[in-house]
Amino acid sequence: MSGEKNWYAVHTYSGYENKVKANLEARLESMNMQDQIFRVIIPEEEETTVKDGKRKTAMKKTFPGYVLVELVMTDESWYIVRNTPGVTGFVGSQGAGSKPNPLLPEEVKFILRSMGMAERTVDFEVEVGESVNIVDGPFKNQTGEIRSIDEEHYKLTVLVEMFGRDTPVEVEFDQIEKL
């Protein structure tokens, strides 16, 4: 069964975020749900504090009491997440029996970026030899030809003209657009 994969916010008992993540990941293994439930993350960011003259860096939860789950919404995946110990429900459900609304792509991108995890989505196919426009980063507004594609790390090597000659630069998929 293939549907669209989206991110959902799941409410947990306060302080149970790590337990919910571990429980959910264990359940998805044991129930063979890897094709419907993909990633579980706890939104957090690094926080540096200075105490007694010592710098200390720790991870601080950005949204205490919430975890984000990337899944294809089916009766089964919805049931498994809702019935994971420590979960009180999905955010955005209209009633007891209704399925929740997914988070907006912009919200997810913002949360993941703030965690240093840029969301990886590729909405188009590109091939070596194809010309692309770089729309973000230090090579913004340059046009170049794709020399190589590293799908696993979401990076491309693009030849752009600098100082009169082709120079290979590394860019991420979300920094380019097809011409």
Side-chain angles (χ1 to χ4, degrees):
M1 166 179 266
S2 73
E4 201 178 324
K5 121 172 132 170
N6 280 301
W7 285 94
Y8 294 85
V10 175
H11 195 256
T12 70
Y13 290 117
S14 187
Y16 275 73
E17 301 87 356
N18 295 21
K19 238 186 200 93
V20 165
K21 179 176 161 67
N23 286 340
L24 200 44
E25 286 172 344
R27 293 182 73 161
L28 107 219
E29 270 312 296
S30 67
M31 296 169 147
N32 275 330
M33 291 295 290
Q34 296 92 331
D35 60 335
Q36 286 182 39
I37 304 174
F38 305 95
R39 290 186 282 172
V40 183
I41 61 169
I42 299 167
E44 51 188 10
E45 53 196 11
E46 258 185 27
E47 186 181 56
T48 305
T49 52
V50 178
K51 191 176 178 186
D52 303 330
K54 291 193 176 91
R55 291 175 76 82
K56 191 177 150 203
T57 303
M59 293 310 279
K60 173 182 171 273
K61 290 181 179 47
T62 324
F63 304 109
Y66 294 93
V67 295
L68 301 186
V69 184
E70 184 185 33
L71 56 83
V72 173
M73 184 54 75
T74 62
D75 289 342
E76 206 177 356
S77 63
W78 183 56
Y79 180 84
I80 286 173
V81 173
R82 267 198 5 233
N83 292 292
T84 296
V87 168
T88 58
F90 277 93
V91 175
S93 294
Q94 303 309 312
S98 71
K99 294 211 171 67
N101 295 320
L103 293 170
L104 297 170
E106 307 80 75
E107 295 172 319
V108 174
K109 211 175 213 164
F110 175 77
I111 293 167
L112 294 179
R113 276 236 163 94
S114 71
M115 292 174 64
M117 298 167 59
E119 171 62 347
R120 308 301 195 173
T121 55
V122 183
D123 297 334
F124 51 84
E125 291 286 314
V126 287
E127 292 174 18
V128 171
E130 203 171 330
S131 291
V132 292
N133 191 23
I134 300 174
V135 293
D136 192 21
F139 305 102
K140 188 176 180 170
N141 299 327
Q142 296 260 24
T143 300
E145 185 182 298
I146 297 174
R147 156 85 55 85
S148 67
I149 301 171
D150 176 357
E151 285 185 32
E152 192 182 335
H153 298 102
Y154 298 92
K155 291 185 187 299
L156 308 153
T157 301
V158 178
L159 290 178
V160 295
E161 193 178 306
M162 273 195 275
F163 309 116
R165 64 171 202 229
D166 284 344
T167 307
V169 298
E170 194 173 68
V171 293
E172 298 197 3
F173 276 108
D174 61 0
Q175 293 179 310
I176 63 158
E177 66 182 12
K178 289 177 95 157
L179 287 178

